[in-house]
Amino acid sequence: MSTRRVVEEAIRLADHEGVDGLSMRRLAAVLGAGAMSLYRYVASKEHLLDAMVDVVFEEIDLPPEDADWRTAMRQRSASAREVFARHPWAIGVVESRTSPGPAHLRHREAVTACLRRAGFSVVTATHAHWLLDAYVYGSALQEATLPFDTRADFADVTEEVLLPRLAPEEFPYLHESAAELVATGYDPAEEFLFGLDLVLGALEPLRGRTSA
């Protein structure tokens, strides 16, 4: 038994059952240990959550230093979206932490450094960081609840469920959109990068300004 093993098992449990059902007693049962014995590795559930979030941040790629800021933040944001898709419970926990761990802090430092070196002021870099995180978190949450993941899934759901309910005379624009998206092979997986590029493009003019 080690602290790392306790934390990784807690993450696996949260991934499958959600963080609300996570308790020291439940975790101890999964590990085959006594609940009180876990306190030798983590002082409390709050400390456990801090450690879990830190491990999640270890999985997110840092913005590469040898790329321009938009490329760097695009790669970082795409990586974050993939990580939070694997650990959807973390989205609601990350921003509530008041004792961020070393991986969490390294990540925040790297993102801030990328934006500051690109010419964003402290204030505009903060705006940019918040906006990008809001987009990443929101996209991950939205995607977790969608009834489709792929182009084929979207086509099946649209043709079998949506189109039969969209009478052309009552919902002409929705019917037109659904039919055309299926016909043209629309892929919902492209939505994240489409929106991300719009966000990054909107941030570009703010470089060099003292405020937004």
Side-chain angles (χ1 to χ4, degrees):
M1 185 83 75
S2 66
T3 299
R4 183 75 182 197
R5 186 188 170 199
V6 170
V7 173
E8 290 179 346
E9 195 58 52
I11 289 173
R12 280 191 286 272
L13 192 59
D15 287 346
H16 288 92
E17 301 180 13
V19 74
D20 290 339
L22 177 64
S23 67
M24 300 299 273
R25 186 179 298 277
R26 176 78 177 94
L27 179 57
V30 172
L31 289 166
M36 295 306 296
S37 68
L38 295 188
Y39 291 100
R40 291 192 299 228
Y41 305 98
V42 287
S44 66
K45 184 177 178 180
E46 289 303 305
H47 283 88
L48 176 62
L49 290 172
D50 285 339
M52 291 166 64
V53 166
D54 213 47
V55 171
V56 169
F57 270 94
E58 287 179 2
E59 299 178 20
I60 303 175
D61 295 338
L62 299 179
E65 296 184 7
D66 58 350
D68 67 273
W69 82 271
R70 287 178 66 166
T71 299
M73 294 309 300
R74 193 177 196 267
Q75 292 181 20
R76 171 266 177 185
S77 297
S79 175
R81 173 240 196 165
E82 292 174 2
V83 170
F84 286 118
R86 291 197 297 270
H87 310 296
W89 59 268
I91 299 172
V93 176
V94 167
E95 300 302 335
S96 68
R97 297 297 90 200
T98 57
S99 300
H104 192 168
L105 290 174
R106 281 194 298 270
H107 183 88
R108 298 295 188 189
E109 171 70 14
V111 170
T112 303
C114 176
L115 295 169
R116 293 287 287 120
R117 285 196 294 263
F120 290 91
S121 70
V122 169
V123 173
T124 54
T126 301
H127 290 327
H129 199 164
W130 274 70
L131 177 59
L132 287 165
D133 280 358
Y135 179 69
V136 169
Y137 297 164
S139 295
L141 282 173
Q142 182 185 48
E143 290 166 9
T145 61
L146 290 175
F148 42 77
D149 295 317
T150 65
R151 178 186 288 112
D153 289 340
F154 174 82
D156 289 343
V157 170
T158 302
E159 290 181 315
E160 296 172 13
V161 180
L162 295 180
L163 273 173
R165 301 181 62 184
L166 298 175
E169 63 277 7
E170 187 175 3
F171 306 106
Y173 290 101
L174 288 178
H175 185 278
E176 175 192 43
S177 296
E180 183 170 330
L181 289 174
V182 170
T184 56
Y186 168 78
D187 187 353
E190 297 174 355
E191 286 298 336
F192 177 77
L193 291 179
F194 174 82
L196 179 59
D197 286 336
L198 289 180
V199 172
L200 294 171
L203 290 171
E204 173 66 35
L206 301 183
R207 291 200 298 153
R209 296 187 187 180
T210 57
S211 69

